[in-house]
Amino acid sequence: MSGPIVLSGTQLAAELNAHTAARAAALPFAPTLATVLVGDDPGSATYVAMKRRRCSNHGLDSRFVHLPAETTTVELIRVLTGLAADGGVHGILLQHPLPPQVDERAAFDAIPVTKDVDGTSSAAFAAAALGRTGHRSCTPAGIVRLLDHYGVTLESADVTVVGRSAILGKPLAAMLIQRDATVTVCHSRTRDLAAHTRRADVLIAAAGRAGLITADMVRPGAVIVDAGFTPGDVTPGAAARARAASPVPGGVGPMTIAVLLSQTVDAAEASAG
Ligand code: NAP
């Protein structure tokens, strides 16, 4: 018996990255992404390094701004404002999460929409929710691209999103509503999580809780996307009941970075007129 179709982010991201590299090469300058890391969280440092490596592999330049863990909101906003005014920077990525003393929303909103290639500002969220043009939050946009690529119908589908963070669950729900899905958003206070996951045609796990989604929580034949980092939010038993499932690693992760690079080139092209 064959298993579920693999929603391969690795494969789709490679195609998107090749297209992004060709667009970057056609510009008279290298599109440049500024990456801002506050503090010394090893996980965040690894993600920033990975994003910078992907930039360099695909003809983009990147700049790295590393600020101390005790940076204040005012200091961080000053740095972001400087990058916003710098004509040599086309996109700005502020690595999440930020230390607790920083007003994260104020910091994200200090990035102008034209350079908000990670789609984390309130304006980017509003644009996604209203179906207006603009950069999208990268992980949700990567998930929607993955589903579209594999021909998963969103119109009129019952989609359950587990997680409601500002960078993932909420913008994803907004984008899915724009695509005419019927969306249920679950979170840590949801009373009966399994009741909501079980009726989903498309189940998107974005809670960051390893093994949260077990086999009894999945409708046989559903499509599952697992946004969690290794080993993933979805158990192998739950994935096995699906018609199609994204792997971890090799699913959502590569798509997130591919969208980031693509949106950086969008911003560079826009700056070139
Ligand atoms: P987050 O800010 O910690 O949010 C987690 C969300 O999950 C919250 O809304 C939380 O509910 C909900 N949640 C936690 N435990 C739950 C439970 N037992 N039942 C139902 N909901 C629960 O995390 P995030 O930044 O959105 O990231 C979520 C996951 O995606 C993490 O594994 C993260 O590493 C991964 N991620 C992957 C990529 C990628 O590129 N692959 C990018 C971004 C994030 P409350 O709101 O009630 O607290």
Side-chain angles (χ1 to χ4, degrees):
M1 201 182 81
S2 63
I5 295 163
V6 177
L7 305 176
S8 173
T10 304
Q11 203 174 311
L12 180 58
E15 287 173 26
L16 180 55
N17 285 336
H19 181 59
T20 298
R23 289 169 57 210
L27 284 166
F29 53 85
T32 300
L33 175 70
T35 57
V36 181
L37 174 67
V38 186
D40 301 300
D41 175 62
S44 294
T46 303
Y47 301 136
V48 168
M50 196 190 297
K51 288 165 187 174
R52 297 191 67 211
R53 208 162 41 242
R54 294 283 162 83
C55 281
S56 108
N57 289 344
H58 296 93
L60 283 74
D61 276 350
S62 66
R63 275 197 216 167
F64 181 45
V65 181
H66 190 187
L67 301 173
E70 55 279 8
T71 301
T72 65
T73 304
V74 170
E75 287 163 345
L76 176 57
I77 288 178
R78 196 176 300 132
V79 168
L80 294 169
T81 307
L83 293 170
D86 186 335
V89 169
H90 306 104
I92 301 170
L93 167 105
L94 175 58
Q95 184 63 40
H96 158 102
L98 293 165
Q101 79 279 6
V102 175
D103 179 343
E104 186 166 289
R105 190 48 30 209
F108 282 137
D109 287 345
I111 302 171
V113 280
T114 50
K115 295 192 181 186
D116 180 22
V117 293
D118 202 27
T120 49
S121 64
S122 301
F125 180 80
L130 298 171
R132 309 290 295 263
T133 56
H135 303 302
R136 297 289 187 252
S137 186
C138 292
T139 304
I143 290 171
V144 172
R145 273 177 181 258
L146 193 61
L147 291 170
D148 283 343
H149 178 77
Y150 282 93
V152 176
T153 304
L154 293 174
E155 184 182 341
S156 305
D158 284 325
V159 183
T160 297
V161 178
V162 184
R164 59 170 168 179
S165 75
I167 59 147
L168 215 177
K170 278 180 187 157
L172 177 60
M175 286 181 210
L176 293 167
I177 291 168
Q178 277 301 120
R179 294 292 303 274
D180 298 322
T182 302
V183 182
T184 302
V185 181
C186 301
H187 45 79
S188 66
R189 309 280 181 90
T190 296
R191 200 181 309 129
D192 185 355
L193 181 62
H196 298 290
T197 57
R198 245 185 247 128
R199 65 158 192 267
D201 300 313
V202 179
L203 172 59
I204 303 176
R209 296 285 178 277
L212 177 66
I213 307 297
T214 49
D216 57 310
M217 297 168 75
V218 173
R219 194 173 61 69
V223 172
I224 303 182
V225 174
D226 188 345
F229 284 116
T230 312
D233 288 1
V234 178
T235 62
R241 285 169 74 93
R243 169 166 69 84
S246 71
V248 178
V252 174
M255 288 305 300
T256 298
I257 303 185
V259 171
L260 174 70
L261 268 50
S262 167
Q263 294 193 147
T264 302
V265 175
D266 290 343
E269 287 174 345
S271 82

